[in-house]
Amino acid sequence: MAKEVISVVVSCYNEEKSLPLFYKELSKIFDNISKYKLELILVNDGSKDKTLDEMKKLYREDNRIKYISFSRNFGKEAAMYAGLVNTTGDYVALMDADLQDPPSLLPDMLEILKNEENEYDCVATRRVSRTGEPPIRSFFARAFYKIINKMSDVELVDGARDYRLMKRKMVDAILELKEYNRFSKGLFGFVGFNTKWLEYKNIERVAGETKWSFWKLFKYAIEGIVAFTTVPLTIAAVLGILFCIIAFVMIIVIIFKTLIFGDPTSGWPSMICVIFLVSGVQLFCLGIIGEYLSKTYLETKKRPIYIVKETEKDLEKK
Ligand code: UDP
Ligand code: MG
């Protein structure tokens, strides 16, 4: 019987230092589970350092490796998608190159999926601690998960990493979702299937540094909300109605007050406050609508999610 294939997808952006370390760890693990065949798919997300050269070097040493190099930086979501598109394995794992996703968990994850009894289609990981992370970032991350889980039907798990092992049918389901604005954490939830969660303590990256600034994470969070719930639009509408009612009541009160008591004070400061508040709310709501509109705009353009510049096949031709 042919060996079952496990595809491992690794998205890399400026990971020249981490990649060789990652490869060493991963191949050690696969030496121990030699009944499976490894297919390692490295995606170079427009790195500005020597990541691509590292990939070529690894490819020359190991024919289990494939690599895809983008024409520019398309973001981790695009890189993961490109990797998934090119997998052929019966099982597919998504991993980071910085060893924050320990490859040592893979055999356990496989074991869980292989066990027919528990009917899991996917084993995902979440970190239960956020050590090594700035407290302010942890605070906002927690707040984000609370908010989005209240608003969206799709469940997002706090602390969930992208590190997971999936069966083929789940991967195919994810690939069916061809949207341009990809928010994988939500897509995994959207496609459903039975997921087993493994927990582990946060591990700091082996080399290089994180690519996520606070601002980038903030934008990512907004993207997640816009992609998976339209509740903010409803909130905007409800706020509008609420302000109309308040204004209507105030008008009646003022008319009667003027008729009974006259109008001795001019009320200028309070007027300005009200104008500021109401126009602030209006702009905020317009912003929300704009956010959805811009996503729709990008989606209708049907631009490719990523553009490939070269792969290992180009190297063979030379
Ligand atoms: N990454 C990527 N494209 C990007 C940013 C990051 O492919 O534009 C990759 C990066 O190389 C790493 C993974 O995504 O393998 C996670 O990034 P990072 O470690 O910076 O994020 P963190 O672990 O701090 O959340
Ligand atoms: Mg990392």
Side-chain angles (χ1 to χ4, degrees), residues 150-248:
K150 280 239 166 65
M151 292 198 296
S152 171
D153 298 334
V154 171
E155 203 206 343
L156 291 182
V157 178
D158 186 2
R161 293 193 55 87
D162 291 323
Y163 182 24
R164 53 175 63 226
L165 183 73
M166 297 172 274
K167 283 190 182 162
R168 186 78 237 168
K169 54 186 173 191
M170 180 160 174
V171 177
D172 290 339
I174 287 168
L175 290 176
E176 281 293 305
L177 308 172
K178 297 189 189 339
E179 58 207 77
Y180 180 78
N181 297 291
R182 302 188 75 78
F183 186 74
S184 287
K185 287 187 171 70
L187 298 179
F188 294 137
F190 177 86
V191 294
F193 293 99
N194 295 336
T195 301
K196 159 106 181 151
W197 289 94
L198 296 184
E199 296 182 347
Y200 67 96
K201 288 222 173 72
N202 192 29
I203 304 163
E204 292 187 35
R205 59 161 48 238
V206 276
E209 52 196 56
T210 176
K211 279 92 205 174
W212 293 93
S213 62
F214 184 79
W215 180 237
K216 248 180 145 180
L217 272 179
F218 181 74
K219 280 204 316 209
Y220 189 57
I222 300 280
E223 228 158 74
I225 292 174
V226 173
F228 279 93
T229 169
T230 49
V231 169
L233 289 175
T234 316
I235 295 177
V238 170
L239 268 183
I241 295 171
L242 201 72
F243 271 78
C244 283
I245 295 174
I246 293 174
F248 187 69

Side-chain angles (χ1 to χ4, degrees), residues 96 98 100 161 205:
D96 286 0
D98 57 7
Q100 277 187 306
R161 293 193 55 87
R205 59 161 48 238

Side-chain angles (χ1 to χ4, degrees), residues 243-257 270 274 278:
F243 271 78
C244 283
I245 295 174
I246 293 174
F248 187 69
V249 172
M250 268 163 59
I251 288 169
I252 294 179
V253 170
I254 287 169
I255 289 175
F256 277 101
K257 223 176 106 188
S270 53
V274 172
V278 176

